[in-house]
Amino acid sequence: MKAREKILLSGVRFHGYHGLTRMEREVGGRYSIDLELTFDYSKAIDSDHIADTLDYRKVHRIVQEIGRGESFRLIEALAGKIVAAIFEHFPVEEVFIRVRKEVPVLDGIVESVGVELTRSRPE
């Protein structure tokens, strides 16, 4: 049975300009991202070298660049763009992402709205 090693990044936060309304895209709001990256890091267990694993600092940088730098109407599109960039830059087998829009513009008090997406590396 193949090992299911994962690297986790939780609560990556940024101010972004995503949403259906003009106000959301101009004023922006706070977003939070959680990631689970399935990646074989068995070599890193033995070597204790960063070169044998996935450098989560680089993953964090990509999430911040996309989240702060682009504007999406839908958080589903934001999630998909981040997942595609991770597959482009890292040899991960699978990506799980959770995107939360904190304090969304809704009638009443809502802590967050969000989406989850899991994708395996394209063949």
Side-chain angles (χ1 to χ4, degrees):
M1 182 167 140
K2 187 170 179 166
R4 298 290 294 175
E5 296 131 344
K6 293 183 180 185
I7 292 178
L8 311 173
L9 278 83
S10 298
V12 178
R13 289 187 169 84
F14 56 86
H15 188 88
Y17 300 90
H18 316 294
L20 292 176
T21 69
R22 191 176 85 200
M23 184 186 77
E24 289 176 301
R25 290 189 309 279
E26 289 177 359
V27 175
R30 191 172 184 103
Y31 294 82
S32 177
I33 308 286
D34 298 326
L35 291 164
E36 294 181 10
L37 309 174
T38 304
F39 175 79
D40 180 2
Y41 56 79
S42 56
K43 284 177 62 177
I45 292 170
D46 295 330
S47 72
D48 196 28
H49 293 302
I50 189 70
D52 293 328
T53 191
L54 190 149
D55 188 342
Y56 55 79
R57 297 171 300 179
K58 293 177 181 177
V59 176
H60 179 266
R61 186 176 318 117
I62 287 173
V63 170
Q64 293 286 324
E65 287 172 357
I66 293 171
R68 290 176 175 166
E70 297 189 41
S71 180
F72 298 92
R73 291 184 177 275
L74 301 176
I75 56 176
E76 293 88 339
L78 172 61
K81 179 74 174 204
I82 292 169
V83 168
I86 289 171
F87 280 130
E88 181 181 330
H89 291 93
F90 305 101
V92 298
E93 298 168 22
E94 185 177 88
V95 177
F96 165 83
I97 186 169
R98 178 181 298 116
V99 176
R100 285 187 300 273
K101 179 187 289 190
E102 299 178 359
V103 193
V105 180
L106 294 172
D107 185 23
I109 298 171
V110 177
E111 183 178 299
S112 68
V113 296
V115 297
E116 293 181 347
L117 176 65
T118 302
R119 290 286 186 263
S120 296
R121 175 169 290 285
E123 294 297 322

